[in-house]
Amino acid sequence: MASKGIYVEKVIVIALGGNALIRKGQRGTFQEQVENLIRITPEIARASRSYRIVLTHGNGPQVGNLYLQQEHTRDVPPMPLHACVAMTQSLIGYMIQTAFSKCCPELRVNVVPTRVIVDPGDLAFLNPTKPIGPYYDGAQVEDLKKKGWSLVMVPGRGWRRVVPSPKPREIVELEQIRTSVERFEVTVAVGGGGVPVVKQNGSLVGVDAVIDKDLASSVLAVSLNAESFLILTDVEGVYLDYGSEKQQLIREIRLREAQELLEKGYFPPGSMGPKVEAVIEFVRATGRKAIIGHLDKLEEIIRGVSGTIFKP
Ligand code: ADP
Ligand code: MG
């Protein structure tokens, strides 16, 4: 993908992982999520003195919880998945604003509801893989399939709905995001990977799918021609032989080698795979560095002393 952004000085795109909002063992109350965010907003505020910050974030647990809420009532019409994604963009954006207003009330934070175009011919639509929402027992499966849902059996837990996860192609609100980046210290955009839409007879229509937030963040970082792209998660960086006794943190890696490891299947789909794919896309398109690192180490990551650095 060619980079096509106008260069706004010093833009950093930071993709926040799920643990920015809900940590292990938490249920995800409003208070918990805001408090978790407050652990990182002061560091982001510090970075905003030197850079224009664009924050993106996931929404897996939040969109799952919304679904559960819908399942528990017949009194209000259930919203389709793409509308639920839109709801979580606003909810999480608001929690981020609340967290910033606690630590640094003077900072101007702008949330941009974002749609992302996907290709209706994307093979992901034929093969739904992304699990969302609650677990169901076998007795419910027939009824759920009548809704047109695909379900998979997760051993020990039950049945779960899976939805397509098509590739992000284009960010509809790119101009709004650019304007926001020029005018505000912090812009929140492409929440939950963006609301997936397809072009249909000249208009844009929402589809029941979920876009990977790291891949969508990469498209945004490239489109903004960002100076760097950071993915913050719950590990120090990318490991070789992850999970084994001889696991080893990669400190620096060149594009070609990263591509090779990705192709050889070193990084699992649904977790580290899309992150590595996302940073490779960014480095390839812009010729600049991207880093995958730990959420609590933003300052060190920006200084280049923590995380896995991907170089051209
Ligand atoms: P996020 O919510 O931040 O997007 P994910 O759970 O999707 O995070 O991905 C991060 C997880 O990827 C880590 O917690 C780790 O368990 C897993 N992982 C898989 N392979 C690797 C690897 N090679 N190096 C580091 N982490 C890995
Ligand atoms: Mg996660």
Side-chain angles (χ1 to χ4, degrees), residues 15-19 24 213-214 231-243 266-268 270-275:
L16 301 175
N19 60 322
K24 276 200 185 76
K213 72 108 171 37
D214 295 308
I231 297 183
L232 305 186
T233 181
D234 58 357
V235 283
E236 290 291 308
V238 185
Y239 290 83
L240 285 175
D241 303 309
Y242 180 71
Y266 268 75
F267 311 116
S271 64
M272 199 42 78
K275 292 185 202 311

Side-chain angles (χ1 to χ4, degrees), residues 49-164:
R49 293 190 201 138
S50 315
Y51 301 93
R52 293 161 195 262
I53 306 290
V54 180
L55 291 181
T56 68
H57 58 81
N59 72 343
Q62 292 79 8
V63 87
N65 285 351
L66 248 184
Y67 244 87
L68 247 184
Q69 287 177 332
Q70 301 203 136
E71 297 284 300
H72 281 289
T73 177
R74 293 218 164 8
D75 300 335
V76 292
M79 290 292 141
L81 180 58
H82 51 88
C84 289
V85 173
M87 287 194 262
T88 63
Q89 288 188 337
S90 181
L91 169 67
I92 296 169
Y94 166 56
M95 294 194 288
I96 293 173
Q97 289 172 320
T98 306
F100 273 112
S101 72
K102 265 272 165 62
C103 77
C104 21
E106 73 293 345
L107 208 73
R108 295 165 315 151
V109 181
N110 187 44
V111 183
V112 183
T114 314
R115 293 169 295 173
V116 172
I117 297 176
V118 299
D119 177 358
D122 195 309
L123 291 178
F125 285 107
L126 302 175
N127 179 28
T129 53
K130 170 81 182 160
I132 56 156
Y135 292 90
Y136 300 94
D137 61 55
Q140 296 168 283
V141 168
E142 276 317 304
D143 279 343
L144 295 171
K145 283 192 172 160
K146 280 182 200 145
K147 297 188 188 190
W149 290 12
S150 304
L151 293 113
V152 292
M153 173 66 193
V154 184
R157 300 293 308 268
W159 291 82
R160 211 162 172 217
R161 182 180 181 193
V162 282
V163 297

Side-chain angles (χ1 to χ4, degrees), residues 8-30:
V8 175
E9 226 184 337
K10 291 192 161 182
V11 178
I12 302 189
V13 174
I14 305 176
L16 301 175
N19 60 322
L21 291 153
I22 303 179
R23 303 228 164 192
K24 276 200 185 76
Q26 294 182 331
R27 291 177 62 236
T29 64
F30 180 82

